[in-house]
Amino acid sequence: MSGTERQTKYDVIVVGGGPAGLAAALEAKETGAEKVLILERNHELGGILNQCIHNGFGLHHFKEELTGPEYAGRFISRLPGSGIEVMADTMVLEITPDKTVHAMNSRDGYMQLTASAIVLTMGCRERTRGAIAIPGDRPAGIFTAGAAQLYVNVEGYMVGRRVLILGSGDIGLIMARRMTLEGAKVLGCVELMPYSNGLNRNIVQCLNDYNIPLYLSHTITNIQGDKRVEKVTVSKVDENRRPIPGTEMEFECDTVLLSVGLIPENELSRQAGIRMDRRTNGPEVYENMETSIPGVFASGNVVHVHDLVDFVTAESQRAGKAAALFALHGETPPGEEILVENGACVNYTVPQKIRPENVGKFVEIFFRVNFVYRDVVIRVTSGEEVLASYKREHMAPGEMEKIVLPKALLEKARDGKIRVSVEKEAQAE
Amino acid sequence: MKELICIVCPKGCHLKVDEENGYAVTGNSCPRGAVYGKKELVNPTRVLTSTVKVTGGTLKRVSVKTDGDIPKSQLFPAMEALENVEMKAPVSIGDVVLENFLGLGVNLVATKTVPLREE
């Protein structure tokens, strides 16, 4: 029985042992937090990286190209001897604002653990067929791309022989190649938007390498099949993303993979009463990744969906460090707050709020644009004054942007607000 | 003149390669792009990642990769060669699964640690 034997008071509890949780826990420990615990739902650490067996991870953080399991392995191998405690196969049921974590597993049963600081690193979940309402029958053979990836790469099951992919996000592209290498015929990748949200390199090495067609501005308008998928209808869409009658194409296939977006997994955050941002579907965070509840931090895909795990690591190290400092020194005293507003073409920013007193030499702001742009300027303004400009040759919704604001600029903010926007270069200067 | 998108890093530079001028590459923003541009036209190569069977471990499959790139034309023969490969747990990241894989001058290495399954 745990209640009696297990120490239940921690400095920092990390909820989720994927790339974000691993980086946060290690950084918290290195910053000086004594008792650090990682709670993980799966039987092993590493999160989604375990099924991402392709390479391309780590170019920023490790300056070399690693596969997903290798990237996770670099962090997991630092745990033994670090003093960080890990509870795998453990489900967190609830987190309360007083920083009690309610969790359970089949070994210890139900537990109440308390922490001085908590880091939320639950990651994200795939959008499903239900979330995008595809018409047609409900046969077997329709998977989210990530579920198929788990079956193929971890469990060793082939999910289909003739495959059509809806959505051209990176997971869909990666699975197009993976299924092809495993002997399936991938008939095409269908994308609603006039551009792909996947990385260019993945379009080249996952689709073009295997002559898999990419149908931009197309969508699935019907799925037919009795027990298993038999036939899928694909139609071209107009500029309002509505199917154009008469453009139907039919594909005979047994499998449909969906790569139609990711949603941060925030049931625990919402239940705890953390203030959420409707643009990111994640918690609102300050410059040090602290949420609206003092001492509760969040980082990685639970805050906003990233394209590159390297940036998840960097963000989570910030969160882990801040959590340790909170556990050691207590709350940040109330001070000035600057709200980061979204201007033209900007979908969201992280952080949403900045406390200048907490900023060292500079603060990094991450954001995404709402469309594909060429030769533009990112402007940071406050009132009428332009505080900073950054040129970009190319911007796309699929590529997270980063700007670095020196602390001195924050001091020029008026009315506690700065605004990030994107403009055509010609109009600027 | 051939146009390519560089796959060396996530940036995806638009390259132009001049086949008639010693495969001179323009449009690259780093030296690795120039190397890629030429190689892609002369002898395109890729790193292969996949999985092989593992017995006695906490998992049924262990992920593997070639520790260098192999000719594109060898990707499917390589996949076929993996079909009958079987490893025994425990496996550690970096363990060599097959030396000089298919005589291509690269090793096939494990990319995941698979501990022994406790009975």
Side-chain angles (χ1 to χ4, degrees):
Chain A
M1 288 303 294
S2 71
T4 50
E5 287 169 29
R6 190 180 281 284
Q7 170 67 271
T8 60
K9 170 79 185 145
Y10 292 89
D11 293 321
V12 178
I13 293 181
V14 177
V15 182
L22 289 166
L26 285 161
E27 194 69 20
K29 189 74 195 175
E30 269 171 27
T31 307
E34 214 162 291
K35 289 193 64 66
V36 178
L37 170 69
I38 303 175
L39 296 169
E40 168 56 44
R41 179 166 63 181
N42 198 3
H43 68 95
E44 61 175 354
L45 297 167
I48 208 69
L49 286 172
N50 287 321
Q51 66 184 67
C52 298
I53 63 165
H54 53 281
N55 64 347
F57 301 90
L59 278 168
H60 292 269
H61 190 76
F62 292 111
K63 311 290 175 219
E64 59 180 305
E65 204 164 13
L66 303 170
T67 65
E70 288 174 309
Y71 189 97
R74 292 279 172 104
F75 294 89
I76 294 169
S77 64
R78 285 168 57 197
L79 292 176
S82 69
I84 295 172
E85 232 182 284
V86 177
M87 266 192 237
D89 286 313
T90 302
M91 185 76 190
V92 173
L93 305 169
E94 190 181 359
I95 293 162
T96 54
D98 65 354
K99 296 190 276 292
T100 303
V101 177
H102 301 257
M104 67 190 298
N105 62 39
S106 56
R107 208 174 40 247
D108 305 300
Y110 168 72
M111 297 169 276
Q112 286 190 20
L113 312 167
T114 56
S116 302
I118 293 173
V119 188
L120 304 174
T121 51
M122 290 89 76
C124 61
R125 221 186 267 165
E126 285 178 285
R127 201 165 272 170
T128 61
R129 180 180 181 181
I132 55 163
I134 307 172
D137 297 335
R138 265 39 188 170
I142 303 167
F143 304 88
T144 59
Q149 191 178 44
L150 177 74
Y151 288 133
V152 174
N153 292 349
V154 179
E155 306 289 339
Y157 298 114
M158 201 46 187
V159 297
R161 289 281 151 209
R162 289 175 64 82
V163 184
L164 191 69
I165 297 177
L166 179 63
S168 62
D170 285 312
I171 312 171
L173 299 176
I174 293 287
M175 280 310 288
R177 172 176 64 183
R178 187 75 191 121
M179 293 298 289
T180 306
L181 284 171
E182 288 292 352
K185 173 81 185 157
V186 178
L187 304 171
C189 185
V190 178
E191 170 61 56
L192 179 68
M193 304 302 285
Y195 54 86
S196 164
N197 267 336
L199 295 169
N200 265 335
R201 71 190 306 223
N202 284 338
I203 294 186
V204 173
Q205 61 185 357
C206 298
L207 297 185
N208 301 357
D209 268 10
Y210 302 96
N211 301 314
I212 300 167
L214 172 60
Y215 299 100
L216 296 173
S217 296
H218 280 75
T219 194
I220 292 180
T221 44
N222 196 15
I223 295 177
Q224 287 166 266
D226 181 12
K227 292 196 165 58
R228 178 87 191 189
V229 174
E230 289 162 23
K231 200 188 276 179
V232 173
T233 309
V234 170
S235 305
K236 203 175 176 10
V237 297
D238 61 22
E239 58 272 23
N240 299 316
R241 293 180 228 162
R242 263 197 290 268
I244 305 171
T247 61
E248 294 85 0
M249 295 184 283
E250 295 205 323
F251 292 89
E252 286 190 13
C253 57
D254 55 29
T255 303
V256 177
L257 300 186
L258 306 175
S259 173
V260 292
L262 300 165
I263 309 166
E265 189 167 352
N266 276 296
E267 281 78 4
L268 292 171
S269 325
R270 286 201 182 86
Q271 210 178 4
I274 288 169
R275 196 157 52 232
M276 305 294 291
D277 184 338
R278 276 162 59 189
R279 297 165 296 194
T280 55
N281 281 314
E284 274 183 23
V285 289
Y286 287 101
E287 69 298 322
N288 62 354
M289 306 311 293
E290 192 167 15
T291 68
S292 63
I293 299 182
V296 179
F297 301 78
S299 67
N301 283 350
V302 80
V303 175
H304 58 137
V305 176
H306 294 61
D307 327 306
L308 299 179
V309 70
D310 303 72
F311 294 145
V312 169
T313 298
E315 184 175 289
S316 302
Q317 287 173 331
R318 275 211 308 284
K321 184 178 182 185
L325 292 175
F326 187 98
L328 296 168
H329 308 301
E331 208 166 318
T332 307
E336 194 199 346
E337 279 186 17
I338 296 175
L339 181 70
V340 184
E341 293 184 318
N342 300 353
C345 312
V346 172
N347 269 0
Y348 74 79
T349 63
V350 167
Q352 289 86 348
K353 286 177 180 173
I354 299 170
R355 294 170 293 203
E357 284 144 65
N358 255 8
V359 173
K361 287 198 181 74
F362 57 85
V363 61
E364 293 175 333
I365 299 179
F366 297 87
F367 66 97
R368 282 182 196 275
V369 290
N370 58 1
F371 202 76
V372 180
Y373 297 104
R374 282 214 144 270
D375 297 320
V376 286
V377 177
I378 304 165
R379 292 253 189 258
V380 180
T381 53
S382 184
E384 295 298 304
E385 192 186 355
V386 177
L387 302 182
S389 306
Y390 310 78
K391 281 189 188 182
R392 291 288 188 274
E393 276 174 28
H394 176 82
M395 296 184 87
E399 295 162 26
M400 194 168 78
E401 275 296 335
K402 178 178 96 170
I403 53 175
V404 180
L405 277 188
K407 183 175 184 166
L409 283 184
L410 292 175
E411 282 153 17
K412 295 189 196 164
R414 273 189 232 149
D415 303 326
K417 284 176 190 169
I418 59 171
R419 176 180 286 262
V420 179
S421 51
V422 172
E423 299 166 13
K424 267 270 167 238
E425 200 166 9
Q427 300 167 0
E429 314 313 306
Chain B
M1 194 69 87
K2 188 112 181 166
E3 291 187 21
L4 298 173
I5 290 172
C6 185
I7 63 167
V8 172
C9 85
K11 194 170 176 190
C13 291
H14 292 256
L15 308 180
K16 280 189 179 154
V17 189
D18 191 346
E19 303 110 302
E20 279 149 32
N21 254 318
Y23 298 95
V25 177
T26 48
N28 55 308
S29 37
C30 83
R32 293 191 302 163
V35 174
Y36 168 79
K38 180 174 180 188
K39 208 157 136 191
E40 189 66 7
L41 294 193
V42 178
N43 174 31
T45 59
R46 299 286 184 265
V47 168
L48 177 69
T49 62
S50 190
T51 65
V52 299
K53 189 175 176 183
V54 58
T55 55
T58 54
L59 296 166
K60 292 178 229 165
R61 311 287 301 183
V62 57
S63 53
V64 296
K65 71 173 182 185
T66 55
D67 65 1
D69 39 4
I70 64 173
K72 254 170 95 172
S73 59
Q74 293 302 305
L75 290 172
F76 283 102
M79 282 300 290
E80 230 163 273
L82 293 187
E83 238 162 70
N84 299 313
V85 175
E86 200 174 305
M87 294 201 77
K88 277 202 173 63
V91 179
S92 296
I93 290 182
D95 283 1
V96 175
V97 183
L98 293 170
E99 250 177 71
N100 190 14
F101 183 43
L102 295 179
L104 294 169
V106 299
N107 296 328
L108 188 75
V109 297
T111 58
K112 175 138 178 76
T113 293
V114 181
L116 268 177
R117 184 175 58 237
E118 287 167 29
E119 296 302 335

